[in-house]
Short mmCIF file of all heavy atoms in Angstrom, two decimals:
data_model
loop_
_atom_site.label_atom_id
_atom_site.label_comp_id
_atom_site.label_asym_id
_atom_site.label_seq_id
_atom_site.Cartn_x
_atom_site.Cartn_y
_atom_site.Cartn_z
N ASN N 63 -8.39 -16.20 20.19
CA ASN N 63 -9.08 -16.61 21.39
C ASN N 63 -8.85 -15.68 22.55
O ASN N 63 -8.43 -16.17 23.68
CB ASN N 63 -8.66 -18.07 21.73
CG ASN N 63 -9.20 -19.06 20.73
OD1 ASN N 63 -10.27 -18.95 20.20
ND2 ASN N 63 -8.37 -20.11 20.41
N PRO N 65 -9.82 -13.65 25.87
CA PRO N 65 -10.80 -14.03 26.97
C PRO N 65 -12.01 -13.18 27.13
O PRO N 65 -13.02 -13.59 27.66
CB PRO N 65 -9.99 -14.02 28.26
CG PRO N 65 -8.90 -13.02 27.85
CD PRO N 65 -8.58 -13.17 26.43
N LEU N 68 -15.68 -6.79 24.09
CA LEU N 68 -16.63 -5.75 24.41
C LEU N 68 -17.33 -5.27 23.08
O LEU N 68 -16.56 -4.95 22.09
CB LEU N 68 -15.86 -4.56 25.02
CG LEU N 68 -16.62 -3.35 25.44
CD1 LEU N 68 -15.86 -2.60 26.63
CD2 LEU N 68 -16.94 -2.35 24.32
N PHE N 134 -17.55 5.38 25.40
CA PHE N 134 -16.07 5.52 25.76
C PHE N 134 -15.92 5.99 27.17
O PHE N 134 -14.83 5.80 27.72
CB PHE N 134 -15.50 6.61 24.81
CG PHE N 134 -15.36 6.20 23.39
CD1 PHE N 134 -16.19 6.47 22.45
CD2 PHE N 134 -14.32 5.32 23.03
CE1 PHE N 134 -16.09 6.02 21.15
CE2 PHE N 134 -14.15 4.88 21.79
CZ PHE N 134 -15.06 5.22 20.82
N PHE N 144 -7.16 -1.01 34.48
CA PHE N 144 -6.09 -1.92 34.00
C PHE N 144 -4.82 -1.16 33.63
O PHE N 144 -3.95 -1.72 33.08
CB PHE N 144 -6.63 -2.67 32.73
CG PHE N 144 -7.45 -3.87 33.04
CD1 PHE N 144 -8.76 -3.70 33.31
CD2 PHE N 144 -6.95 -5.12 33.01
CE1 PHE N 144 -9.63 -4.78 33.53
CE2 PHE N 144 -7.77 -6.22 33.28
CZ PHE N 144 -9.15 -6.04 33.60
N VAL N 183 -16.29 -3.32 18.40
CA VAL N 183 -15.88 -4.66 18.85
C VAL N 183 -14.41 -4.57 19.27
O VAL N 183 -13.59 -4.31 18.46
CB VAL N 183 -15.96 -5.81 17.77
CG1 VAL N 183 -15.43 -7.06 18.31
CG2 VAL N 183 -17.41 -6.01 17.33
N VAL N 202 6.26 -14.22 21.75
CA VAL N 202 4.81 -14.32 22.24
C VAL N 202 4.81 -13.96 23.71
O VAL N 202 5.61 -14.51 24.53
CB VAL N 202 4.32 -15.76 22.10
CG1 VAL N 202 3.02 -15.90 22.82
CG2 VAL N 202 4.15 -16.11 20.63
N ASP N 230 -24.45 -18.25 -0.37
CA ASP N 230 -24.90 -19.03 -1.56
C ASP N 230 -25.64 -18.10 -2.57
O ASP N 230 -26.10 -18.60 -3.60
CB ASP N 230 -25.75 -20.20 -1.25
CG ASP N 230 -26.98 -19.75 -0.33
OD1 ASP N 230 -27.27 -18.62 -0.20
OD2 ASP N 230 -27.72 -20.73 0.04
N ALA N 250 -23.16 17.80 -4.53
CA ALA N 250 -22.19 18.47 -3.60
C ALA N 250 -21.75 19.83 -4.14
O ALA N 250 -21.46 20.71 -3.30
CB ALA N 250 -21.05 17.53 -3.39
N ILE N 286 -0.54 -7.73 -2.89
CA ILE N 286 -0.79 -6.78 -3.97
C ILE N 286 -0.85 -5.34 -3.46
O ILE N 286 -0.66 -4.39 -4.29
CB ILE N 286 -1.95 -7.12 -4.85
CG1 ILE N 286 -3.26 -7.01 -4.05
CG2 ILE N 286 -1.80 -8.51 -5.37
CD1 ILE N 286 -4.46 -7.17 -4.92
N ASN N 287 -1.10 -5.18 -2.18
CA ASN N 287 -1.23 -3.79 -1.74
C ASN N 287 -0.56 -3.54 -0.36
O ASN N 287 -1.27 -3.34 0.63
CB ASN N 287 -2.75 -3.38 -1.71
CG ASN N 287 -3.01 -1.93 -1.57
OD1 ASN N 287 -2.38 -1.14 -2.34
ND2 ASN N 287 -3.81 -1.51 -0.71
N GLY N 292 -2.04 -2.91 7.78
CA GLY N 292 -2.69 -4.16 7.27
C GLY N 292 -3.42 -4.89 8.37
O GLY N 292 -2.88 -4.86 9.53
N GLY N 305 -8.12 -5.60 5.65
CA GLY N 305 -7.81 -4.29 5.13
C GLY N 305 -6.34 -4.04 4.87
O GLY N 305 -5.46 -4.77 5.42
N PRO N 372 -1.12 24.78 23.85
CA PRO N 372 -1.04 25.88 22.80
C PRO N 372 0.43 25.91 22.23
O PRO N 372 1.39 25.78 23.03
CB PRO N 372 -1.30 27.12 23.70
CG PRO N 372 -2.08 26.65 24.82
CD PRO N 372 -1.66 25.27 25.11
N HIS N 391 -0.26 9.03 -3.37
CA HIS N 391 -0.98 9.94 -2.46
C HIS N 391 0.04 11.11 -2.02
O HIS N 391 1.21 10.85 -1.89
CB HIS N 391 -1.53 9.32 -1.24
CG HIS N 391 -2.58 8.36 -1.48
ND1 HIS N 391 -3.79 8.70 -2.12
CD2 HIS N 391 -2.68 7.05 -1.16
CE1 HIS N 391 -4.56 7.60 -2.18
NE2 HIS N 391 -3.96 6.60 -1.58
N LEU N 479 -14.25 15.60 -2.54
CA LEU N 479 -14.85 16.44 -3.54
C LEU N 479 -14.71 17.87 -3.11
O LEU N 479 -14.79 18.28 -1.95
CB LEU N 479 -16.38 16.17 -3.56
CG LEU N 479 -16.87 14.78 -3.68
CD1 LEU N 479 -18.38 14.66 -3.82
CD2 LEU N 479 -16.19 14.10 -4.84
N GLY N 522 13.92 -15.85 -25.71
CA GLY N 522 15.27 -16.19 -25.70
C GLY N 522 15.53 -17.54 -25.13
O GLY N 522 16.70 -17.92 -25.04
N ASP N 534 32.35 -1.44 -18.64
CA ASP N 534 31.08 -0.55 -18.59
C ASP N 534 30.57 -0.60 -17.16
O ASP N 534 30.70 -1.63 -16.46
CB ASP N 534 30.07 -1.01 -19.59
CG ASP N 534 28.80 -0.19 -19.54
OD1 ASP N 534 28.94 1.07 -19.63
OD2 ASP N 534 27.71 -0.74 -19.48
N PHE N 544 18.69 -9.43 -20.81
CA PHE N 544 18.64 -10.53 -21.73
C PHE N 544 18.30 -11.84 -21.04
O PHE N 544 17.60 -12.65 -21.61
CB PHE N 544 20.05 -10.71 -22.40
CG PHE N 544 20.28 -9.70 -23.53
CD1 PHE N 544 21.02 -8.50 -23.36
CD2 PHE N 544 19.76 -10.06 -24.77
CE1 PHE N 544 21.18 -7.70 -24.45
CE2 PHE N 544 19.90 -9.13 -25.81
CZ PHE N 544 20.69 -7.97 -25.66
N VAL N 628 26.06 14.16 -23.51
CA VAL N 628 24.74 13.76 -22.95
C VAL N 628 24.92 12.67 -22.02
O VAL N 628 25.02 11.47 -22.50
CB VAL N 628 23.69 13.56 -24.04
CG1 VAL N 628 22.41 13.23 -23.32
CG2 VAL N 628 23.48 14.64 -24.99
N VAL N 652 14.26 7.71 -24.04
CA VAL N 652 15.33 6.71 -23.78
C VAL N 652 16.44 7.46 -22.95
O VAL N 652 16.54 8.74 -23.01
CB VAL N 652 15.94 6.18 -25.06
CG1 VAL N 652 14.91 5.37 -25.77
CG2 VAL N 652 16.52 7.33 -25.96
N PRO N 666 27.54 4.12 -44.38
CA PRO N 666 27.45 3.29 -45.60
C PRO N 666 26.09 2.93 -45.91
O PRO N 666 25.20 2.93 -45.05
CB PRO N 666 28.34 2.12 -45.29
CG PRO N 666 28.31 2.02 -43.85
CD PRO N 666 28.26 3.38 -43.31
N THR N 672 17.34 3.81 -38.03
CA THR N 672 15.96 3.50 -37.70
C THR N 672 15.46 4.36 -36.46
O THR N 672 14.30 4.13 -36.05
CB THR N 672 15.84 2.06 -37.39
OG1 THR N 672 16.68 1.66 -36.33
CG2 THR N 672 16.18 1.19 -38.63
N ARG N 717 14.40 -11.47 -31.20
CA ARG N 717 13.40 -11.99 -32.12
C ARG N 717 13.82 -11.83 -33.59
O ARG N 717 13.64 -12.69 -34.44
CB ARG N 717 12.02 -11.31 -31.88
CG ARG N 717 10.89 -11.90 -32.67
CD ARG N 717 9.54 -11.20 -32.36
NE ARG N 717 9.18 -11.46 -30.94
CZ ARG N 717 9.18 -10.52 -29.94
NH1 ARG N 717 9.62 -9.34 -30.25
NH2 ARG N 717 8.90 -10.85 -28.81
#
Side-chain angles (χ1 to χ4, degrees):
N63 291 323
L68 184 156
F134 289 97
F144 280 80
V183 175
V202 171
D230 57 5
I286 66 176
N287 196 47
H391 293 302
L479 310 185
D534 179 51
F544 279 101
V628 181
V652 296
T672 58
R717 186 177 296 109

